[in-house]
Amino acid sequence: MANYNISIIKGDGIGPEIVDEAIKVLNVVGKKFDIGFSYNEFLMGGCAIDATGNPLPQETVDGVLASDACLFGAIGGAKWDSLPRELRPESGLLRFRKEMGVFANLRPAMVYDELVDASSLKPSVIQGVDIMVVRELIGGIYFGEPKGKDEFKGWNTMVYTVPEIERIAHVAFKLALKRGKKVCSIDKANVLDVSQLWRDTVIRIGAQYPDVELTHMYVDNAAMQLIANPRQFDVMLTGNIFGDILSDEASMLSGSIGLLPSASTGLKTAVYEPIHGSAPDIAGMGIANPIATISSASMMLRYSFGEDKAADAIDNAIKKAMKDGFRTKDLAAFGAIEVVNTSKMGDIIASNI
Ligand code: NAD
């Protein structure tokens, strides 16, 4: 029997509530498919600051690196916003990604048929949308040096090296082979030198994948096209800042930020987390939508452990819950037969398995 050691970071706000539901579902799927999971919990973000004074304790870094994969909730909250930037929860998260070497962030944006009305776009535009945004996560302007600010100006540097572009491009092309065999690389090569290097490198790597159709799009046009005709996209390959913005935009095609998972994979380990934050406005109320986190656990089974059948079982259990009309409060206006709380949604998905 396969046995996987999962590191758990629940984090702040709704983090603990939603991660608990994902563990509930993992345990049920583990029983059904004869997969063993052991869990080790670590602190990060505001709760780690409160307990240790450090948003990312070394114990967390070591513990996650020693695990097979990490399931992560969300961090942050107003309580810690007045701290100096380097001591805030968000700085811990950036440092965490760098320490884990997770250079590839995979963010699917798909639309559940039952929720086509939840999108702000017309059903005819979004029905059948199935996009995978592959975002470079530990380079580009969020990490480039020099950076800083004085009283008069602020500056950051957008920098990419050829190896950084090559490795993320390979991830995108390999994923495209398993999906719709199309990669659209996003850049701003008409203005930025770093983007021209990006485009040249992606074209060179693309030549190794003759079965994948490669196109290029400027980021401003991509922002428009995502709204105008999202079905044209299969895999979107982007740098860090463009991917940050476009993947949020793509996620809203689905109608709720509470639905979508993500995977960050790379050199040492992989981290699976919902795309949303810690939602302090609803923390502790038991109304958070746990589906993005449960779906992240499914991505973990698929991408880290190769347990595709178990992953499919979770995905189908979520779809059945949607089809049967169960909705958390964020989606109550869209075809709800019964509005349920966080824990009940976890129970329903687990029992569907
Ligand atoms: P957010 O994603 O936490 O919340 C945005 C809105 O969406 C809120 O109204 C919230 O109630 C709602 N929402 C989010 N997740 C939901 C869910 N699962 N179910 C139902 N509704 C949900 O973004 P924000 O308000 O900009 O940020 C709050 C805190 O989270 C900040 O401290 C921010 O820095 C942090 N943050 C953390 C991460 C992360 O841990 N990866 C990501 C983004 C933001």
Side-chain angles (χ1 to χ4, degrees):
M1 168 170 134
N3 213 311
Y4 302 106
N5 173 9
I6 300 174
S7 50
I8 300 284
I9 297 176
K10 294 184 176 175
D12 308 314
I14 60 170
E17 304 164 46
I18 53 180
V19 171
D20 283 348
E21 298 315 308
I23 293 174
K24 186 188 278 175
V25 170
L26 274 174
N27 286 339
V28 171
V29 92
K31 250 186 212 139
K32 170 148 183 163
F33 291 90
D34 212 16
I35 309 169
F37 300 112
S38 54
Y39 308 100
N40 287 305
E41 214 178 300
F42 299 96
L43 293 177
M44 188 171 136
C47 57
I49 295 172
D50 289 349
T52 71
N54 180 352
L56 180 62
Q58 189 59 38
E59 193 193 340
T60 299
V61 174
D62 296 341
V64 174
L65 284 175
S67 69
D68 295 321
C70 175
L71 184 64
F72 181 90
I75 51 101
K79 181 179 172 191
W80 305 282
D81 280 352
S82 53
L83 290 169
R85 187 170 299 283
E86 64 281 7
L87 290 179
R88 281 191 218 160
E90 291 77 5
S91 303
L93 182 58
L94 285 185
R95 200 149 54 78
F96 177 69
R97 289 174 176 161
K98 194 96 189 171
E99 293 263 8
M100 297 302 124
V102 285
F103 65 82
N105 183 229
L106 316 185
R107 279 181 48 165
M110 67 283 192
V111 176
Y112 290 99
D113 283 347
E114 295 74 22
L115 293 175
V116 286
D117 291 327
S119 174
S120 54
L121 297 186
K122 291 190 201 112
S124 61
V125 174
I126 56 143
Q127 195 133 34
V129 161
D130 183 4
I131 301 171
M132 180 71 85
V133 180
V134 176
R135 167 188 168 196
E136 201 290 328
L137 200 60
I138 58 174
I141 197 165
Y142 293 167
F143 293 93
E145 298 282 352
K147 64 178 176 185
K149 76 170 174 60
D150 59 27
E151 269 159 32
F152 179 62
K153 64 177 183 192
W155 60 98
N156 290 86
T157 305
M158 188 153 169
V159 56
Y160 270 115
T161 63
V162 168
E164 282 175 328
I165 304 166
E166 285 176 345
R167 66 187 183 184
I168 190 74
H170 279 297
V171 171
F173 285 112
K174 285 191 175 122
L175 264 171
L177 280 175
K178 292 192 196 157
R179 296 172 41 98
K181 299 194 170 53
K182 290 199 299 183
V183 169
C184 180
S185 173
I186 311 299
D187 61 40
K188 191 70 184 169
N190 50 342
V191 178
L192 299 174
D193 296 319
V194 57
S195 271
Q196 189 60 54
L197 181 78
W198 178 279
R199 187 176 286 215
D200 296 344
T201 308
V202 171
I203 289 172
R204 188 165 45 72
I205 297 301
Q208 299 173 27
Y209 298 87
D211 293 338
V212 179
E213 177 197 316
L214 171 64
T215 54
H216 306 272
M217 201 178 272
Y218 298 135
V219 60
D220 40 353
N221 186 26
M224 282 197 302
Q225 293 298 327
L226 261 179
I227 302 275
N229 178 17
R231 268 196 303 267
Q232 71 184 284
F233 296 110
D234 175 25
V235 173
M236 298 178 86
L237 166 62
T238 82
N240 203 344
I241 188 167
F242 298 158
D244 193 0
I245 297 161
L246 291 181
S247 57
D248 264 22
E249 186 187 349
S251 70
M252 279 322 289
L253 299 172
S254 80
S256 169
I257 200 167
L259 289 173
L260 293 175
S262 78
S264 302
T265 68
L267 303 172
K268 303 170 189 164
T269 186
V271 181
Y272 296 85
E273 58 182 304
I275 64 160
H276 57 74
S278 57
D281 53 332
I282 57 166
M285 295 165 73
I287 58 171
N289 189 340
I291 290 181
T293 315
I294 294 170
S295 196
S296 302
S298 158
M299 283 187 95
M300 172 188 287
L301 294 175
R302 196 181 300 285
Y303 293 113
S304 276
F305 306 152
E307 301 280 1
D308 285 17
K309 278 190 188 143
D312 289 345
I314 295 183
D315 294 350
N316 290 332
I318 294 172
K319 280 187 198 140
K320 178 162 168 39
M322 293 293 102
K323 201 170 259 165
D324 292 344
F326 295 107
R327 303 281 187 270
T328 40
K329 191 160 175 257
D330 50 315
L331 292 171
F334 304 103
I337 291 172
E338 188 182 340
V339 177
V340 297
N341 65 20
T342 309
S343 164
K344 177 92 187 284
M345 182 57 93
D347 290 345
I348 290 162
I349 292 169
S351 74
N352 285 348
I353 288 169

